[in-house]
Amino acid sequence: MLTLQVLRNDRDALEQALSKRGIDAAPMLNRILALDEERRHTQKEVDDLKAEQNAASREIGELFKSGKKEEAEARRTEMGALKEKIHVLDEHQKTLINQQEDALLELPNRPHDLVPAGQSDADNEVVAEEGTKPELGEHALPHWELADRYKLIDFEAGVKISGAGFPVYRGKGAKLQRALIQFFLDRADAAGYEEFIPPHLVNPDSGRGTGQLPDKEGQMYHCADDDLYLIPTAEVPLTNLYRGDLLKSEELPIQLCGYTPCFRREAGSYGKDVRGLNRLHQFDKVEIVRFEQPENSYAALEGMVEHVRGLLRDLELPVRTLRLCGGDLGFTSALTYDLEVWSAAQERWLEVSSVSNFETYQANRLQCRFRNAEGKPELVHTLNGSALALPRIVAALLENHQGPDGIRIPAALRTYTGFDTIA
RNA sequence: GGAGAGGUGGCCGAGUGGCUUAAGGCGCACGCUUGGAAAGCGUGUAUACUCCAAAAGGGUAUCCGGGGUUCGAAUCCCCGUCUCUCCGCCA
């Protein structure tokens, strides 16, 4: 959620920046600012009346104490009208605050200057590409056929147990999952990210803290009896660890990582996008999260992207880095880099990581602040990135490293898998 | 799931309707003192919103959250929530 301060001080620049998302924010901005003005006016009024009430109550107390009963009673009966006025204005102010809050929640984050204008993923900017696409020849198989041939994943068993999008990993397929998780966690640890194992179900406050609620309510599984949400990413519990906190500046940066399964309803998805491992309701991911001083957050973002690229390099997968355009940028993000790996049999790029700087957008919802050099509380910047999401990595590993004698495990992963080929 | 006890500032803790502008202590910061330190003494020590061109300085709110009673609530009442203790169930 954007701060009111930004709206008040920087309205025109904000409108300009938001236009990169392809939205006309002017009506919303005007509405919020009008509500703000009315709210402040109402507050002044109600605060003055309350001051009057407080003073009068003190006087009445004094009168009772000094035995001037009649005078006190007289003052007391006068207070009724004042009370009623305060009550009415209080209610009005509450309504205004709620309307303002609701409107602010509908406003997405302000895109960074680097964000290119654009409508869809076709307008994303490729900022780097590395690695060579393998030549597989005639007999190359897509990962879902490889998974079946080598008995790595049983999609049909998953359908029986749960439904489409819930794969069952078995044998070397299961071991490969565990190896990748361990590999990613070790590398995050080496890069200074402290490991956490958070809850996989979170309350609505946490959903709101990172912005999943109310924006993406329909994408999360919800346990209605207990009002808990299955996490769509470890970002939610990890970032909420610091909800409501006032940090000391020397505590920053805070670097966290965690492995969790992720649950997504993916309502409305269909076709080749959901074939095999391309899109699932449950998948595994290691997430990295940072809390930063504002002046460091963009350097931190670059560092996170480099960290993820390093993982993909060691998995010997061709990778390209995209800077998302305004139309494709997530609601809460100011700048996002997507990392994609080449899926050699499907002959398409698959998104495996999304690394974002949210600036103060999440921190404002979370009320996560630090004491700046002047000793004043100031909102931190939050960042996170997948490092990494497993399913599409597995898809690319199987497809790109397939050969006549089976699937080759990249050297960096062999100590984790305990085997060097799947045959 | 049942019964009971609780939730007060960064921390501990007093506080049963106005004498609370939340006592007292600890911690922290600054000053005095000192050759230097400690001790001692003194001063200060929240957050949000808001008024004022700004600074200085005001106002309002906040004692887990929400609602209520009252001229006036940390204090009384109701609802919620969390923690602890006991019982039950249980990997």
mmCIF file with all atom_site columns, all heavy atoms in Angstrom, chain B residues 68-76:
data_model
loop_
_atom_site.group_PDB
_atom_site.id
_atom_site.type_symbol
_atom_site.label_atom_id
_atom_site.label_alt_id
_atom_site.label_comp_id
_atom_site.label_asym_id
_atom_site.label_entity_id
_atom_site.label_seq_id
_atom_site.pdbx_PDB_ins_code
_atom_site.Cartn_x
_atom_site.Cartn_y
_atom_site.Cartn_z
_atom_site.occupancy
_atom_site.B_iso_or_equiv
_atom_site.pdbx_formal_charge
_atom_site.auth_seq_id
_atom_site.auth_comp_id
_atom_site.auth_asym_id
_atom_site.auth_atom_id
_atom_site.pdbx_PDB_model_num
ATOM 1   P P     . G B 1 68 ? -19.920 2.146  21.129 1.00 0.00 ? 68 G B P     1
ATOM 2   O OP1   . G B 1 68 ? -20.986 2.886  20.431 1.00 0.00 ? 68 G B OP1   1
ATOM 3   O OP2   . G B 1 68 ? -18.586 2.742  21.320 1.00 0.00 ? 68 G B OP2   1
ATOM 4   O "O5'" . G B 1 68 ? -20.457 1.704  22.568 1.00 0.00 ? 68 G B "O5'" 1
ATOM 5   C "C5'" . G B 1 68 ? -21.749 1.131  22.687 1.00 0.00 ? 68 G B "C5'" 1
ATOM 6   C "C4'" . G B 1 68 ? -21.958 0.572  24.060 1.00 0.00 ? 68 G B "C4'" 1
ATOM 7   O "O4'" . G B 1 68 ? -20.811 -0.225 24.468 1.00 0.00 ? 68 G B "O4'" 1
ATOM 8   C "C3'" . G B 1 68 ? -22.091 1.577  25.198 1.00 0.00 ? 68 G B "C3'" 1
ATOM 9   O "O3'" . G B 1 68 ? -23.364 2.201  25.226 1.00 0.00 ? 68 G B "O3'" 1
ATOM 10  C "C2'" . G B 1 68 ? -21.866 0.678  26.407 1.00 0.00 ? 68 G B "C2'" 1
ATOM 11  O "O2'" . G B 1 68 ? -23.010 -0.109 26.690 1.00 0.00 ? 68 G B "O2'" 1
ATOM 12  C "C1'" . G B 1 68 ? -20.747 -0.241 25.887 1.00 0.00 ? 68 G B "C1'" 1
ATOM 13  N N9    . G B 1 68 ? -19.424 0.219  26.325 1.00 0.00 ? 68 G B N9    1
ATOM 14  C C8    . G B 1 68 ? -18.413 0.756  25.560 1.00 0.00 ? 68 G B C8    1
ATOM 15  N N7    . G B 1 68 ? -17.356 1.066  26.258 1.00 0.00 ? 68 G B N7    1
ATOM 16  C C5    . G B 1 68 ? -17.684 0.716  27.558 1.00 0.00 ? 68 G B C5    1
ATOM 17  C C6    . G B 1 68 ? -16.937 0.808  28.766 1.00 0.00 ? 68 G B C6    1
ATOM 18  O O6    . G B 1 68 ? -15.790 1.238  28.917 1.00 0.00 ? 68 G B O6    1
ATOM 19  N N1    . G B 1 68 ? -17.650 0.341  29.863 1.00 0.00 ? 68 G B N1    1
ATOM 20  C C2    . G B 1 68 ? -18.925 -0.158 29.812 1.00 0.00 ? 68 G B C2    1
ATOM 21  N N2    . G B 1 68 ? -19.453 -0.556 30.956 1.00 0.00 ? 68 G B N2    1
ATOM 22  N N3    . G B 1 68 ? -19.639 -0.258 28.688 1.00 0.00 ? 68 G B N3    1
ATOM 23  C C4    . G B 1 68 ? -18.957 0.191  27.624 1.00 0.00 ? 68 G B C4    1
ATOM 24  P P     . U B 1 69 ? -23.506 3.663  25.834 1.00 0.00 ? 69 U B P     1
ATOM 25  O OP1   . U B 1 69 ? -24.901 4.100  25.601 1.00 0.00 ? 69 U B OP1   1
ATOM 26  O OP2   . U B 1 69 ? -22.369 4.491  25.357 1.00 0.00 ? 69 U B OP2   1
ATOM 27  O "O5'" . U B 1 69 ? -23.320 3.426  27.396 1.00 0.00 ? 69 U B "O5'" 1
ATOM 28  C "C5'" . U B 1 69 ? -24.290 2.701  28.128 1.00 0.00 ? 69 U B "C5'" 1
ATOM 29  C "C4'" . U B 1 69 ? -23.891 2.625  29.579 1.00 0.00 ? 69 U B "C4'" 1
ATOM 30  O "O4'" . U B 1 69 ? -22.634 1.907  29.702 1.00 0.00 ? 69 U B "O4'" 1
ATOM 31  C "C3'" . U B 1 69 ? -23.597 3.974  30.232 1.00 0.00 ? 69 U B "C3'" 1
ATOM 32  O "O3'" . U B 1 69 ? -24.782 4.634  30.629 1.00 0.00 ? 69 U B "O3'" 1
ATOM 33  C "C2'" . U B 1 69 ? -22.728 3.561  31.413 1.00 0.00 ? 69 U B "C2'" 1
ATOM 34  O "O2'" . U B 1 69 ? -23.508 3.029  32.456 1.00 0.00 ? 69 U B "O2'" 1
ATOM 35  C "C1'" . U B 1 69 ? -21.894 2.429  30.793 1.00 0.00 ? 69 U B "C1'" 1
ATOM 36  N N1    . U B 1 69 ? -20.586 2.914  30.293 1.00 0.00 ? 69 U B N1    1
ATOM 37  C C2    . U B 1 69 ? -19.580 3.072  31.223 1.00 0.00 ? 69 U B C2    1
ATOM 38  O O2    . U B 1 69 ? -19.730 2.826  32.411 1.00 0.00 ? 69 U B O2    1
ATOM 39  N N3    . U B 1 69 ? -18.395 3.534  30.726 1.00 0.00 ? 69 U B N3    1
ATOM 40  C C4    . U B 1 69 ? -18.116 3.851  29.416 1.00 0.00 ? 69 U B C4    1
ATOM 41  O O4    . U B 1 69 ? -16.994 4.253  29.116 1.00 0.00 ? 69 U B O4    1
ATOM 42  C C5    . U B 1 69 ? -19.208 3.666  28.511 1.00 0.00 ? 69 U B C5    1
ATOM 43  C C6    . U B 1 69 ? -20.374 3.216  28.972 1.00 0.00 ? 69 U B C6    1
ATOM 44  P P     . U B 1 70 ? -24.987 6.173  30.268 1.00 0.00 ? 70 U B P     1
ATOM 45  O OP1   . U B 1 70 ? -26.301 6.576  30.798 1.00 0.00 ? 70 U B OP1   1
ATOM 46  O OP2   . U B 1 70 ? -24.661 6.382  28.843 1.00 0.00 ? 70 U B OP2   1
ATOM 47  O "O5'" . U B 1 70 ? -23.853 6.887  31.133 1.00 0.00 ? 70 U B "O5'" 1
ATOM 48  C "C5'" . U B 1 70 ? -23.924 6.875  32.555 1.00 0.00 ? 70 U B "C5'" 1
ATOM 49  C "C4'" . U B 1 70 ? -22.682 7.478  33.135 1.00 0.00 ? 70 U B "C4'" 1
ATOM 50  O "O4'" . U B 1 70 ? -21.538 6.664  32.780 1.00 0.00 ? 70 U B "O4'" 1
ATOM 51  C "C3'" . U B 1 70 ? -22.315 8.857  32.589 1.00 0.00 ? 70 U B "C3'" 1
ATOM 52  O "O3'" . U B 1 70 ? -23.070 9.883  33.191 1.00 0.00 ? 70 U B "O3'" 1
ATOM 53  C "C2'" . U B 1 70 ? -20.829 8.930  32.923 1.00 0.00 ? 70 U B "C2'" 1
ATOM 54  O "O2'" . U B 1 70 ? -20.642 9.230  34.290 1.00 0.00 ? 70 U B "O2'" 1
ATOM 55  C "C1'" . U B 1 70 ? -20.387 7.480  32.670 1.00 0.00 ? 70 U B "C1'" 1
ATOM 56  N N1    . U B 1 70 ? -19.811 7.326  31.321 1.00 0.00 ? 70 U B N1    1
ATOM 57  C C2    . U B 1 70 ? -18.443 7.533  31.191 1.00 0.00 ? 70 U B C2    1
ATOM 58  O O2    . U B 1 70 ? -17.733 7.830  32.135 1.00 0.00 ? 70 U B O2    1
ATOM 59  N N3    . U B 1 70 ? -17.947 7.401  29.916 1.00 0.00 ? 70 U B N3    1
ATOM 60  C C4    . U B 1 70 ? -18.666 7.088  28.789 1.00 0.00 ? 70 U B C4    1
ATOM 61  O O4    . U B 1 70 ? -18.082 7.008  27.712 1.00 0.00 ? 70 U B O4    1
ATOM 62  C C5    . U B 1 70 ? -20.068 6.878  29.009 1.00 0.00 ? 70 U B C5    1
ATOM 63  C C6    . U B 1 70 ? -20.577 7.001  30.230 1.00 0.00 ? 70 U B C6    1
ATOM 64  P P     . C B 1 71 ? -23.625 11.069 32.299 1.00 0.00 ? 71 C B P     1
ATOM 65  O OP1   . C B 1 71 ? -24.478 11.918 33.174 1.00 0.00 ? 71 C B OP1   1
ATOM 66  O OP2   . C B 1 71 ? -24.172 10.475 31.054 1.00 0.00 ? 71 C B OP2   1
ATOM 67  O "O5'" . C B 1 71 ? -22.331 11.905 31.926 1.00 0.00 ? 71 C B "O5'" 1
ATOM 68  C "C5'" . C B 1 71 ? -22.394 12.939 30.949 1.00 0.00 ? 71 C B "C5'" 1
ATOM 69  C "C4'" . C B 1 71 ? -21.118 13.745 31.011 1.00 0.00 ? 71 C B "C4'" 1
ATOM 70  O "O4'" . C B 1 71 ? -21.066 14.473 32.262 1.00 0.00 ? 71 C B "O4'" 1
ATOM 71  C "C3'" . C B 1 71 ? -19.845 12.926 31.027 1.00 0.00 ? 71 C B "C3'" 1
ATOM 72  O "O3'" . C B 1 71 ? -19.450 12.548 29.719 1.00 0.00 ? 71 C B "O3'" 1
ATOM 73  C "C2'" . C B 1 71 ? -18.851 13.886 31.671 1.00 0.00 ? 71 C B "C2'" 1
ATOM 74  O "O2'" . C B 1 71 ? -18.421 14.873 30.763 1.00 0.00 ? 71 C B "O2'" 1
ATOM 75  C "C1'" . C B 1 71 ? -19.736 14.544 32.744 1.00 0.00 ? 71 C B "C1'" 1
ATOM 76  N N1    . C B 1 71 ? -19.660 13.853 34.039 1.00 0.00 ? 71 C B N1    1
ATOM 77  C C2    . C B 1 71 ? -18.505 14.004 34.828 1.00 0.00 ? 71 C B C2    1
ATOM 78  O O2    . C B 1 71 ? -17.564 14.688 34.405 1.00 0.00 ? 71 C B O2    1
ATOM 79  N N3    . C B 1 71 ? -18.424 13.386 36.017 1.00 0.00 ? 71 C B N3    1
ATOM 80  C C4    . C B 1 71 ? -19.453 12.645 36.448 1.00 0.00 ? 71 C B C4    1
ATOM 81  N N4    . C B 1 71 ? -19.327 12.053 37.641 1.00 0.00 ? 71 C B N4    1
ATOM 82  C C5    . C B 1 71 ? -20.633 12.472 35.676 1.00 0.00 ? 71 C B C5    1
ATOM 83  C C6    . C B 1 71 ? -20.698 13.097 34.489 1.00 0.00 ? 71 C B C6    1
ATOM 84  P P     . G B 1 72 ? -18.935 11.096 29.477 1.00 0.00 ? 72 G B P     1
ATOM 85  O OP1   . G B 1 72 ? -18.582 10.991 28.056 1.00 0.00 ? 72 G B OP1   1
ATOM 86  O OP2   . G B 1 72 ? -19.908 10.150 30.060 1.00 0.00 ? 72 G B OP2   1
ATOM 87  O "O5'" . G B 1 72 ? -17.586 11.039 30.332 1.00 0.00 ? 72 G B "O5'" 1
ATOM 88  C "C5'" . G B 1 72 ? -16.443 11.773 29.878 1.00 0.00 ? 72 G B "C5'" 1
ATOM 89  C "C4'" . G B 1 72 ? -15.338 11.692 30.893 1.00 0.00 ? 72 G B "C4'" 1
ATOM 90  O "O4'" . G B 1 72 ? -15.807 12.191 32.164 1.00 0.00 ? 72 G B "O4'" 1
ATOM 91  C "C3'" . G B 1 72 ? -14.853 10.288 31.223 1.00 0.00 ? 72 G B "C3'" 1
ATOM 92  O "O3'" . G B 1 72 ? -13.942 9.820  30.246 1.00 0.00 ? 72 G B "O3'" 1
ATOM 93  C "C2'" . G B 1 72 ? -14.202 10.502 32.580 1.00 0.00 ? 72 G B "C2'" 1
ATOM 94  O "O2'" . G B 1 72 ? -12.938 11.111 32.448 1.00 0.00 ? 72 G B "O2'" 1
ATOM 95  C "C1'" . G B 1 72 ? -15.168 11.507 33.220 1.00 0.00 ? 72 G B "C1'" 1
ATOM 96  N N9    . G B 1 72 ? -16.171 10.838 34.043 1.00 0.00 ? 72 G B N9    1
ATOM 97  C C8    . G B 1 72 ? -17.486 10.634 33.730 1.00 0.00 ? 72 G B C8    1
ATOM 98  N N7    . G B 1 72 ? -18.148 10.016 34.683 1.00 0.00 ? 72 G B N7    1
ATOM 99  C C5    . G B 1 72 ? -17.191 9.791  35.670 1.00 0.00 ? 72 G B C5    1
ATOM 100 C C6    . G B 1 72 ? -17.305 9.163  36.931 1.00 0.00 ? 72 G B C6    1
ATOM 101 O O6    . G B 1 72 ? -18.299 8.644  37.456 1.00 0.00 ? 72 G B O6    1
ATOM 102 N N1    . G B 1 72 ? -16.098 9.144  37.615 1.00 0.00 ? 72 G B N1    1
ATOM 103 C C2    . G B 1 72 ? -14.934 9.675  37.135 1.00 0.00 ? 72 G B C2    1
ATOM 104 N N2    . G B 1 72 ? -13.869 9.558  37.948 1.00 0.00 ? 72 G B N2    1
ATOM 105 N N3    . G B 1 72 ? -14.806 10.273 35.968 1.00 0.00 ? 72 G B N3    1
ATOM 106 C C4    . G B 1 72 ? -15.972 10.298 35.289 1.00 0.00 ? 72 G B C4    1
ATOM 107 P P     . A B 1 73 ? -13.904 8.277  29.891 1.00 0.00 ? 73 A B P     1
ATOM 108 O OP1   . A B 1 73 ? -12.913 8.120  28.803 1.00 0.00 ? 73 A B OP1   1
ATOM 109 O OP2   . A B 1 73 ? -15.287 7.830  29.690 1.00 0.00 ? 73 A B OP2   1
ATOM 110 O "O5'" . A B 1 73 ? -13.348 7.573  31.215 1.00 0.00 ? 73 A B "O5'" 1
ATOM 111 C "C5'" . A B 1 73 ? -12.040 7.844  31.704 1.00 0.00 ? 73 A B "C5'" 1
ATOM 112 C "C4'" . A B 1 73 ? -11.354 6.540  32.055 1.00 0.00 ? 73 A B "C4'" 1
ATOM 113 O "O4'" . A B 1 73 ? -12.245 5.770  32.886 1.00 0.00 ? 73 A B "O4'" 1
ATOM 114 C "C3'" . A B 1 73 ? -11.047 5.646  30.852 1.00 0.00 ? 73 A B "C3'" 1
ATOM 115 O "O3'" . A B 1 73 ? -9.888  4.877  31.157 1.00 0.00 ? 73 A B "O3'" 1
ATOM 116 C "C2'" . A B 1 73 ? -12.237 4.735  30.780 1.00 0.00 ? 73 A B "C2'" 1
ATOM 117 O "O2'" . A B 1 73 ? -11.970 3.513  30.175 1.00 0.00 ? 73 A B "O2'" 1
ATOM 118 C "C1'" . A B 1 73 ? -12.529 4.528  32.268 1.00 0.00 ? 73 A B "C1'" 1
ATOM 119 N N9    . A B 1 73 ? -13.916 4.163  32.566 1.00 0.00 ? 73 A B N9    1
ATOM 120 C C8    . A B 1 73 ? -15.017 4.264  31.759 1.00 0.00 ? 73 A B C8    1
ATOM 121 N N7    . A B 1 73 ? -16.118 3.828  32.316 1.00 0.00 ? 73 A B N7    1
ATOM 122 C C5    . A B 1 73 ? -15.719 3.413  33.566 1.00 0.00 ? 73 A B C5    1
ATOM 123 C C6    . A B 1 73 ? -16.411 2.849  34.655 1.00 0.00 ? 73 A B C6    1
ATOM 124 N N6    . A B 1 73 ? -17.723 2.607  34.647 1.00 0.00 ? 73 A B N6    1
ATOM 125 N N1    . A B 1 73 ? -15.706 2.558  35.764 1.00 0.00 ? 73 A B N1    1
ATOM 126 C C2    . A B 1 73 ? -14.398 2.808  35.782 1.00 0.00 ? 73 A B C2    1
ATOM 127 N N3    . A B 1 73 ? -13.631 3.344  34.823 1.00 0.00 ? 73 A B N3    1
ATOM 128 C C4    . A B 1 73 ? -14.362 3.616  33.746 1.00 0.00 ? 73 A B C4    1
ATOM 129 P P     . A B 1 74 ? -8.434  5.440  30.764 1.00 0.00 ? 74 A B P     1
ATOM 130 O OP1   . A B 1 74 ? -8.098  6.426  31.811 1.00 0.00 ? 74 A B OP1   1
ATOM 131 O OP2   . A B 1 74 ? -8.364  5.816  29.336 1.00 0.00 ? 74 A B OP2   1
ATOM 132 O "O5'" . A B 1 74 ? -7.484  4.170  30.951 1.00 0.00 ? 74 A B "O5'" 1
ATOM 133 C "C5'" . A B 1 74 ? -7.581  3.080  30.054 1.00 0.00 ? 74 A B "C5'" 1
ATOM 134 C "C4'" . A B 1 74 ? -7.112  1.806  30.716 1.00 0.00 ? 74 A B "C4'" 1
ATOM 135 O "O4'" . A B 1 74 ? -5.919  2.082  31.470 1.00 0.00 ? 74 A B "O4'" 1
ATOM 136 C "C3'" . A B 1 74 ? -8.100  1.236  31.733 1.00 0.00 ? 74 A B "C3'" 1
ATOM 137 O "O3'" . A B 1 74 ? -9.038  0.391  31.123 1.00 0.00 ? 74 A B "O3'" 1
ATOM 138 C "C2'" . A B 1 74 ? -7.177  0.463  32.672 1.00 0.00 ? 74 A B "C2'" 1
ATOM 139 O "O2'" . A B 1 74 ? -6.845  -0.797 32.122 1.00 0.00 ? 74 A B "O2'" 1
ATOM 140 C "C1'" . A B 1 74 ? -5.920  1.342  32.671 1.00 0.00 ? 74 A B "C1'" 1
ATOM 141 N N9    . A B 1 74 ? -5.883  2.279  33.796 1.00 0.00 ? 74 A B N9    1
ATOM 142 C C8    . A B 1 74 ? -5.945  3.641  33.750 1.00 0.00 ? 74 A B C8    1
ATOM 143 N N7    . A B 1 74 ? -5.885  4.215  34.933 1.00 0.00 ? 74 A B N7    1
ATOM 144 C C5    . A B 1 74 ? -5.748  3.138  35.811 1.00 0.00 ? 74 A B C5    1
ATOM 145 C C6    . A B 1 74 ? -5.630  3.073  37.196 1.00 0.00 ? 74 A B C6    1
ATOM 146 N N6    . A B 1 74 ? -5.607  4.133  37.991 1.00 0.00 ? 74 A B N6    1
ATOM 147 N N1    . A B 1 74 ? -5.524  1.853  37.758 1.00 0.00 ? 74 A B N1    1
ATOM 148 C C2    . A B 1 74 ? -5.540  0.779  36.965 1.00 0.00 ? 74 A B C2    1
ATOM 149 N N3    . A B 1 74 ? -5.644  0.716  35.634 1.00 0.00 ? 74 A B N3    1
ATOM 150 C C4    . A B 1 74 ? -5.743  1.943  35.120 1.00 0.00 ? 74 A B C4    1
ATOM 151 P P     . U B 1 75 ? -10.518 0.297  31.629 1.00 0.00 ? 75 U B P     1
ATOM 152 O OP1   . U B 1 75 ? -11.137 -0.858 30.972 1.00 0.00 ? 75 U B OP1   1
ATOM 153 O OP2   . U B 1 75 ? -11.095 1.649  31.489 1.00 0.00 ? 75 U B OP2   1
ATOM 154 O "O5'" . U B 1 75 ? -10.423 0.013  33.195 1.00 0.00 ? 75 U B "O5'" 1
ATOM 155 C "C5'" . U B 1 75 ? -9.970  -1.246 33.692 1.00 0.00 ? 75 U B "C5'" 1
ATOM 156 C "C4'" . U B 1 75 ? -9.934  -1.198 35.194 1.00 0.00 ? 75 U B "C4'" 1
ATOM 157 O "O4'" . U B 1 75 ? -9.166  -0.023 35.591 1.00 0.00 ? 75 U B "O4'" 1
ATOM 158 C "C3'" . U B 1 75 ? -11.305 -1.059 35.853 1.00 0.00 ? 75 U B "C3'" 1
ATOM 159 O "O3'" . U B 1 75 ? -11.372 -1.873 37.008 1.00 0.00 ? 75 U B "O3'" 1
ATOM 160 C "C2'" . U B 1 75 ? -11.382 0.414  36.219 1.00 0.00 ? 75 U B "C2'" 1
ATOM 161 O "O2'" . U B 1 75 ? -12.172 0.664  37.357 1.00 0.00 ? 75 U B "O2'" 1
ATOM 162 C "C1'" . U B 1 75 ? -9.918  0.756  36.493 1.00 0.00 ? 75 U B "C1'" 1
ATOM 163 N N1    . U B 1 75 ? -9.620  2.176  36.255 1.00 0.00 ? 75 U B N1    1
ATOM 164 C C2    . U B 1 75 ? -9.239  2.977  37.318 1.00 0.00 ? 75 U B C2    1
ATOM 165 O O2    . U B 1 75 ? -9.135  2.541  38.453 1.00 0.00 ? 75 U B O2    1
ATOM 166 N N3    . U B 1 75 ? -8.997  4.283  37.018 1.00 0.00 ? 75 U B N3    1
ATOM 167 C C4    . U B 1 75 ? -9.089  4.863  35.777 1.00 0.00 ? 75 U B C4    1
ATOM 168 O O4    . U B 1 75 ? -8.836  6.063  35.664 1.00 0.00 ? 75 U B O4    1
ATOM 169 C C5    . U B 1 75 ? -9.496  3.987  34.718 1.00 0.00 ? 75 U B C5    1
ATOM 170 C C6    . U B 1 75 ? -9.740  2.699  34.989 1.00 0.00 ? 75 U B C6    1
ATOM 171 P P     . C B 1 76 ? -12.083 -3.311 36.887 1.00 0.00 ? 76 C B P     1
ATOM 172 O OP1   . C B 1 76 ? -11.927 -4.000 38.182 1.00 0.00 ? 76 C B OP1   1
ATOM 173 O OP2   . C B 1 76 ? -11.612 -3.963 35.656 1.00 0.00 ? 76 C B OP2   1
ATOM 174 O "O5'" . C B 1 76 ? -13.610 -2.911 36.666 1.00 0.00 ? 76 C B "O5'" 1
ATOM 175 C "C5'" . C B 1 76 ? -14.481 -2.729 37.777 1.00 0.00 ? 76 C B "C5'" 1
ATOM 176 C "C4'" . C B 1 76 ? -15.894 -2.508 37.288 1.00 0.00 ? 76 C B "C4'" 1
ATOM 177 O "O4'" . C B 1 76 ? -16.031 -1.150 36.776 1.00 0.00 ? 76 C B "O4'" 1
ATOM 178 C "C3'" . C B 1 76 ? -16.324 -3.385 36.113 1.00 0.00 ? 76 C B "C3'" 1
ATOM 179 O "O3'" . C B 1 76 ? -16.754 -4.655 36.556 1.00 0.00 ? 76 C B "O3'" 1
ATOM 180 C "C2'" . C B 1 76 ? -17.448 -2.571 35.504 1.00 0.00 ? 76 C B "C2'" 1
ATOM 181 O "O2'" . C B 1 76 ? -18.645 -2.702 36.229 1.00 0.00 ? 76 C B "O2'" 1
ATOM 182 C "C1'" . C B 1 76 ? -16.920 -1.138 35.667 1.00 0.00 ? 76 C B "C1'" 1
ATOM 183 N N1    . C B 1 76 ? -16.184 -0.633 34.485 1.00 0.00 ? 76 C B N1    1
ATOM 184 C C2    . C B 1 76 ? -16.904 -0.327 33.319 1.00 0.00 ? 76 C B C2    1
ATOM 185 O O2    . C B 1 76 ? -18.129 -0.491 33.315 1.00 0.00 ? 76 C B O2    1
ATOM 186 N N3    . C B 1 76 ? -16.244 0.146  32.249 1.00 0.00 ? 76 C B N3    1
ATOM 187 C C4    . C B 1 76 ? -14.921 0.307  32.291 1.00 0.00 ? 76 C B C4    1
ATOM 188 N N4    . C B 1 76 ? -14.309 0.782  31.204 1.00 0.00 ? 76 C B N4    1
ATOM 189 C C5    . C B 1 76 ? -14.171 -0.002 33.456 1.00 0.00 ? 76 C B C5    1
ATOM 190 C C6    . C B 1 76 ? -14.826 -0.467 34.520 1.00 0.00 ? 76 C B C6    1
#
